[in-house]
Amino acid sequence: IEKVDKSFEELLIAQKDEQFHNEEGFVVRFSNGLRVKIKYDEYMRIHHIISGVNRKMVWEYLSEGKSFTELIASLPDETYQFVRDTQLEFFKEFDKINDIWHKDWEDLMDQLNPSWTKKDFAMLAKTKQYPHLLFAFHDHKNTEKIIWEILKP
């Protein structure tokens, strides 16, 4: 085991170093005794390829309502953080789109007169960011499936 005295910034730069193609990474030991394992970027990239984990796989689990417990249990530890981060990104984007079309729906309902027709609705809906979601909701269709399709990588 090689002991080196480097700053945290220097270690993060070393993490991206491409000269360590066949090495896993290194362990950082802090003065309070805490140890943290830092993996080289290339090592992580190879593990993502080997395990088949990518954004689309995470999207498929989310869009189909599959359990992440099973997925995570079958993955190497190195890919857990990628899956978790990607999952949170998708949830954030899903919520953003969902909030936009809900607000647009409320605006639309406020703008329509009491005796509105489907044509009136369509003319206003087409001016909004996600008109297909407004039409789907109007027709009692599942808007969640449509949002997942919008987010498909």
Side-chain angles (χ1 to χ4, degrees), residues 69-134:
T69 306
E70 294 171 17
L71 173 64
I72 290 170
S74 68
L75 295 174
D77 292 342
E78 292 81 6
T79 58
Y80 172 79
Q81 193 61 47
F82 171 81
V83 169
R84 186 70 182 132
D85 291 346
T86 305
Q87 181 184 26
L88 292 174
E89 286 173 28
F90 275 123
F91 282 143
K92 186 177 177 181
E93 286 300 311
F94 183 98
D95 289 344
K96 180 180 170 185
I97 293 170
N98 202 39
D99 289 347
I100 290 170
W101 85 257
H102 273 98
K103 183 183 180 312
D104 284 348
W105 177 266
E106 290 174 15
D107 291 347
L108 200 75
M109 292 297 110
D110 289 343
Q111 292 173 9
L112 290 169
N113 67 45
S115 59
W116 61 271
T117 64
K118 187 155 184 165
K119 181 179 178 182
D120 298 329
F121 175 86
M123 295 297 288
L124 282 173
K126 287 180 183 179
T127 66
K128 304 300 181 182
Q129 188 170 354
Y130 298 104
H132 51 301
L133 287 167
L134 298 170

Side-chain angles (χ1 to χ4, degrees), residues 39-49 78-79:
K39 310 282 183 164
Y40 288 115
D41 283 356
E42 181 65 8
Y43 179 84
M44 295 297 292
R45 187 186 73 78
I46 290 168
H47 269 277
H48 287 303
I49 292 168
E78 292 81 6
T79 58

Side-chain angles (χ1 to χ4, degrees), residues 8 11 26-30 34-38:
F8 193 68
L11 292 173
F26 49 89
V27 176
V28 177
R29 191 173 130 244
F30 295 92
L34 175 68
R35 292 176 186 225
V36 177
K37 187 181 278 188
I38 298 179

Side-chain angles (χ1 to χ4, degrees), residues 8-71:
F8 193 68
E9 289 77 21
E10 290 172 313
L11 292 173
L12 290 178
I13 291 169
Q15 174 197 16
K16 298 182 184 322
D17 195 333
E18 294 180 13
Q19 73 177 345
F20 300 106
H21 290 295
N22 295 320
E23 295 186 38
E24 182 176 344
F26 49 89
V27 176
V28 177
R29 191 173 130 244
F30 295 92
S31 58
N32 66 359
L34 175 68
R35 292 176 186 225
V36 177
K37 187 181 278 188
I38 298 179
K39 310 282 183 164
Y40 288 115
D41 283 356
E42 181 65 8
Y43 179 84
M44 295 297 292
R45 187 186 73 78
I46 290 168
H47 269 277
H48 287 303
I49 292 168
I50 292 169
S51 63
V53 174
N54 56 37
R55 287 183 57 77
K56 188 169 183 184
M57 178 189 225
V58 174
W59 172 84
E60 287 171 355
Y61 268 77
L62 289 170
S63 66
E64 295 171 14
K66 293 181 181 176
S67 169
F68 270 87
T69 306
E70 294 171 17
L71 173 64

